[in-house]
Amino acid sequence: MPSPNSAQTALDLLVLTILSRRSPLHGYGIASAIQELSEEALRVEEGSLYPALHRMEEAEWISAEWVLTENKRRARIYRITKAGSKQLSAETQRWNSFSGGVARVLRHA
């Protein structure tokens, strides 16, 4: 398991959060939501997102299925699973603890 401050953990947390609130979404929708909600501060590249989605699907945190879009194109959409919701809760607690510690050091150093 990656440390709570790793880029992989942060990406997992972002993806699971987006899917918990806006599911189902395709990869582009997930990346766009992260970029939009972060006010352009975060940009997730395909080379990072799709391996992360695959890894989370293997861990059974998310499920995926192929659908036909309105434009008659195939798209893979993702949903958070019950296991993913539990993981999201655990990751959120770890992230809040980590970021709170960083904030305390920045305030008191």
Side-chain angles (χ1 to χ4, degrees):
M1 170 178 278
S3 68
N5 59 339
S6 75
Q8 179 178 312
T9 298
L11 182 56
D12 291 355
L13 180 58
L14 293 171
V15 169
L16 291 173
T17 299
I18 294 296
L19 288 177
S20 75
R21 298 178 186 166
R22 297 186 176 198
S23 187
L25 284 173
H26 48 71
Y28 178 79
I30 295 168
S32 295
I34 291 169
Q35 186 173 335
E36 173 193 323
L37 291 168
S38 72
E39 298 178 352
E40 310 291 322
L42 302 174
R43 204 175 284 262
V44 181
E45 302 297 330
E46 284 184 30
S48 300
L49 179 61
Y50 288 99
L53 289 170
H54 182 72
R55 180 178 39 74
M56 286 187 270
E57 187 178 3
E58 284 187 341
E60 299 182 349
W61 297 346
I62 62 173
S63 63
E65 68 176 307
W66 287 103
V67 297
L68 207 55
T69 67
E70 297 163 0
N71 304 335
K72 305 290 186 230
R73 297 176 64 179
R74 287 182 54 188
R76 194 150 170 88
I77 60 165
Y78 301 91
R79 288 181 171 84
I80 192 167
T81 63
K82 190 175 280 191
S85 293
K86 287 176 74 173
Q87 184 67 23
L88 173 58
S89 178
E91 292 298 337
T92 299
Q93 287 178 336
R94 276 194 284 277
W95 183 265
N96 288 338
S97 175
F98 170 76
S99 60
V102 169
R104 284 187 294 280
V105 169
L106 293 175
R107 261 194 322 271
H108 301 294

